[in-house]
């Protein structure tokens, strides 16, 4: 790894503590060679209003999604994007953002599709940095162009397609949306726009664990015992489980994927990014309504 | 009949004259220019209508004067500069227009100002909703 890990005591109980850094650590390491800080937000203009000095911006819509097809960018596009942000393959990348790192975790998940070796989250994200009165700048970073290799995206390990979900019944499915979306009262998060799902409800057998339960009031991740109680206790997940998480377009479930994989140490977790906007509009797939997971559908 | 008033046409041209990245800078300027709500609304949040289609909480209120001139008031948090920018474009672009002129603004105005690439088409829907709800309030005031 290019830059030392944050060995703060608050992370030591997590399965992969090297995936998190604290605001104190980041403050102390700003400007270190081999470190690039990336801001990734829901709001495309938030970076411009002020950001951590030196941070570059990567937007989930404009940068990470293919402009034509509903898919992520490919290896060539990723290589161009990262090279333009001054990130090379051995760079330590720390991502932070708004909404308890919801979009930052999504960006981290996409980085992982390309196997970027050292990518971490700033625990608490923008809100914590801001609440501690730390520096912001409105000066856009102007990184030197560097070479990032063209690496083929690998969807086989942490990404699930609709077909994978259809084959998955009987193994744990986690629906990380709000209870209202899960039960079928509505197709989008409360206070969010409709994004075109034609049916409401959830994928049969899915447990509902809203993503935000993993975040504390200040936007940091909850401590290990609380996360264990939530996912191993309430949701009944066990070591060795093959798990698929989904939400509406795969962003909130990327946050839960991070928690399950890097904080709790589950080794087979996939994010179904088609999520409800695909499932809820697909023809002839089973749907369950109400607050109960529902049984395994007959083939 | 739809007709684009000069004020909105000017805003559109200002955006289209810029490179993509500078369009975001202009949108941020709009966001910073969104006027504070008049005091009578600050004490009466119940008067404001929430625009559900926007990701960030944004509230609007439309007044129509006796001269039929429309006054649009809007508020959105500073953590949602894109939404503030959209609201501010409409507040400035609709200023001084009559209710009929507001109703005549083409519904696809947000798609014509060259922001879809920089901001993403999905996010532009929030601005369509702002315009749509503004028109609906204008119609409601007309009928009252």
């Amino acid at each position: 790894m290019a830059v030392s890990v944050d060995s703060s005591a608050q992370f030591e109980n997590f399965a992969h503590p090297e995936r998190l850094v604290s605001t104190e650590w980041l403050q102390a390491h700003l400007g270190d060679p081999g470190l690039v800080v990336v801001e990734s937000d829901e709001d495309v203009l938030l970076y411009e209003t002020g950001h951590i000095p030196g941070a570059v911006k990567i937007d989930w819509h404009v940068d990470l999604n293919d402009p034509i097809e509903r898919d992520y960018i490919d290896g060539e596009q990723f290589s161009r994007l990262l090279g333009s942000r001054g990130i090379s393959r051995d760079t330590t990348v720390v991502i932070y953002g708004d909404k308890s790192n919801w979009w930052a975790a999504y960006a981290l998940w996409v980085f992982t599709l390309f196997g970027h070796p050292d990518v971490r989250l700033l625990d608490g994200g923008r809100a914590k940095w801001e609440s501690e009165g730390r520096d912001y700048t409105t000066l856009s970073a102007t990184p030197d162009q560097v070479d990032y290799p063209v690496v083929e995206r690998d969807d086989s390990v942490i990404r699930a397609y609709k077909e994978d979900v259809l084959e998955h019944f009987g193994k744990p499915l986690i629906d990380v949306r709000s209870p209202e979306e899960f039960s079928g009262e509505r197709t989008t998060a409360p206070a969010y726009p409709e994004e075109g799902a034609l049916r409401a409800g959830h994928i049969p057998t899915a447990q509902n664990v809203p993503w935000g339960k993993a975040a504390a009031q200040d936007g940091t991740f909850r401590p290990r015992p609380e996360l264990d109680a939530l996912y191993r206790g309430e949701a009944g997940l066990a070591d060795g489980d093959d798990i698929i998480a989904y939400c509406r377009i795969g962003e909130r479930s990327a946050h839960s994927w991070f928690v399950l994989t890097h904080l709790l140490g589950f080794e087979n977790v996939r994010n179904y990014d088609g999520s409800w906007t695909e499932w809820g509009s697909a023809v002839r797939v089973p749907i369950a309504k109400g607050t109960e997971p529902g049984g395994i559908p007959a083939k | 009949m739809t007709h684009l008033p000069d004020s909105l046409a000017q805003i559109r041209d200002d955006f289209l004259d810029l490179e993509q990245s500078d369009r975001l800078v202009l949108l941020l300027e709009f966001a910073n220019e969104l006027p504070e709500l008049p005091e009578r609304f600050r004490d009466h949040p119940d008067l404001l209508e929430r625009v559900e289609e926007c990701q960030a909480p944004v509230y609007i209120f439309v007044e129509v004067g006796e001269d039929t001139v429309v006054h649009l008031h809007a508020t959105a948090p500073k953590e949602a500069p894109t939404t503030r920018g959209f609201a501010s474009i409409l507040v400035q672009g609709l200023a001084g227009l009559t209710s009929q002129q507001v109703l005549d603004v083409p519904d696809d105005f947000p798609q014509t100002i060259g922001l879809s690439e920089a901001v993403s088409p999905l996010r532009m829907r929030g601005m369509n909703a702002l315009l749509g709800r503004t028109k609906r309030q204008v119609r409601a005031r007309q009928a009252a």
Side-chain angles (χ1 to χ4, degrees):
Chain A
M1 286 188 183
V3 177
S4 68
V5 302
D6 180 355
S7 48
S8 310
Q10 77 236 48
F11 301 143
E12 70 187 14
N13 287 328
F14 291 134
H16 300 289
E18 74 279 6
R19 294 294 181 173
L20 287 177
V21 304
S22 62
T23 49
E24 293 81 11
W25 182 95
L26 185 58
Q27 182 89 64
H29 286 81
L30 281 183
D32 277 10
L35 172 71
V36 172
V37 182
V38 171
E39 174 156 343
S40 222
D41 296 316
E42 177 171 294
D43 192 298
V44 68
L45 266 185
L46 205 48
Y47 171 89
E48 280 77 6
T49 67
H51 50 267
I52 296 177
V56 297
K57 168 183 169 181
I58 292 184
D59 183 69
W60 59 286
H61 259 311
V62 176
D63 296 318
L64 296 177
N65 278 294
D66 184 272
I68 310 291
E69 291 181 21
R70 186 174 169 190
D71 202 354
Y72 299 101
I73 54 176
D74 63 21
E76 300 230 352
Q77 293 164 310
F78 191 71
S79 149
R80 277 200 299 277
L81 173 68
L82 268 62
S84 74
R85 300 300 195 274
I87 299 170
S88 48
R89 191 72 174 166
D90 58 0
T91 299
T92 295
V93 177
V94 171
I95 312 182
Y96 74 100
D98 58 354
K99 313 249 163 139
S100 303
N101 276 330
W102 166 351
W103 305 95
Y106 182 62
L108 183 144
W109 179 76
V110 175
F111 273 56
T112 308
L113 290 175
F114 293 96
H116 188 86
D118 187 4
V119 54
R120 317 176 188 179
L121 285 184
L122 171 65
D123 197 26
R126 246 189 103 92
K128 187 153 194 286
W129 185 272
E130 206 166 297
S131 71
E132 292 169 348
R134 296 181 192 275
D135 272 357
Y136 269 149
T137 179
T138 52
L139 288 178
S140 285
T142 49
D144 290 333
Q145 174 82 34
V146 298
D147 280 331
Y148 194 95
V150 175
V151 180
E152 202 183 332
R153 199 183 69 224
D154 181 358
D155 291 344
S156 67
V157 181
I158 61 165
R159 186 179 185 194
Y161 303 145
K162 175 171 132 256
E163 295 72 25
D164 300 322
V165 179
L166 285 166
E167 294 299 316
H168 190 78
F169 288 119
K171 290 180 271 187
L173 262 174
I174 302 290
D175 182 321
V176 314
R177 298 173 303 160
S178 61
E180 294 85 352
E181 294 166 271
F182 182 84
S183 68
E185 247 173 83
R186 48 177 303 143
T187 58
T188 56
Y192 272 72
E194 288 293 334
E195 280 173 356
L198 295 172
R199 291 289 186 270
H202 58 266
I203 302 177
T205 75
Q207 297 275 341
N208 187 205
V209 186
W211 73 280
K213 286 191 172 184
Q217 199 69 38
D218 64 356
T220 57
F221 290 105
R222 291 193 179 282
R224 178 76 189 252
E226 292 179 29
L227 294 176
D228 275 331
L230 190 58
Y231 292 101
R232 292 179 203 269
E234 283 176 47
L237 297 179
D239 287 327
D241 275 351
D242 177 2
I243 304 160
I244 293 180
Y246 73 94
C247 58
R248 178 186 47 130
I249 56 171
E251 14 61 281
R252 283 175 286 178
S253 43
H255 188 276
S256 301
W257 169 86
F258 182 89
V259 172
L260 292 170
T261 302
H262 291 314
L263 305 188
L264 297 182
F266 289 97
E267 285 173 5
N268 295 302
V269 187
R270 283 174 291 168
N271 179 19
Y272 168 39
D273 58 277
S275 278
W276 198 255
T277 50
E278 179 180 43
W279 196 273
S281 295
V283 177
R284 302 182 74 238
V285 297
I287 288 176
K289 296 272 266 193
T291 54
E292 294 303 315
I296 297 176
K299 285 238 175 173
Chain B
M1 261 292 285
T2 60
H3 176 73
L4 191 64
D6 293 345
S7 50
L8 287 171
Q10 184 62 52
I11 291 172
R12 178 199 60 199
D13 294 344
D14 288 346
F15 274 107
L16 293 179
D17 282 345
L18 296 171
E19 299 284 326
Q20 288 291 345
S21 58
D22 289 335
R23 292 179 193 179
L24 280 186
V25 177
L26 181 56
L27 185 60
L28 183 60
E29 282 174 23
F30 274 103
N32 291 334
E33 289 166 7
L34 183 66
E36 290 274 328
L37 278 186
E39 218 156 297
R40 60 187 185 279
F41 296 119
R42 268 178 261 163
D43 301 333
H44 283 283
D46 50 301
L47 291 175
L48 300 169
E49 175 184 353
R50 170 147 190 173
V51 181
E52 297 282 351
E53 296 87 346
C54 286
Q55 296 194 337
V58 51
Y59 295 87
I60 62 166
F61 188 81
V62 173
E63 291 176 303
V64 180
E66 287 190 7
D67 50 4
T68 82
V69 170
V70 172
H71 300 276
L72 168 64
H73 306 283
T75 179
K78 71 173 177 51
E79 295 78 18
T82 301
T83 303
R84 285 181 64 89
F86 290 164
S88 180
I89 287 171
L90 292 181
V91 167
Q92 293 189 29
L94 301 180
L97 300 186
T98 65
S99 46
Q100 194 55 50
Q101 286 173 311
V102 171
L103 294 177
D104 288 344
V105 171
D107 290 329
D108 66 351
F109 170 73
Q111 276 66 45
T112 66
I113 58 176
L115 276 173
S116 299
E117 190 180 317
V119 168
S120 91
L122 191 66
R123 287 173 172 135
M124 291 310 295
R125 286 193 203 167
M127 190 165 173
N128 289 82
L130 271 169
L131 179 59
R133 285 183 184 246
T134 300
K135 287 188 179 188
R136 205 179 64 195
Q137 284 201 20
V138 168
R139 279 189 206 99
R141 305 284 181 273
Q142 274 184 329

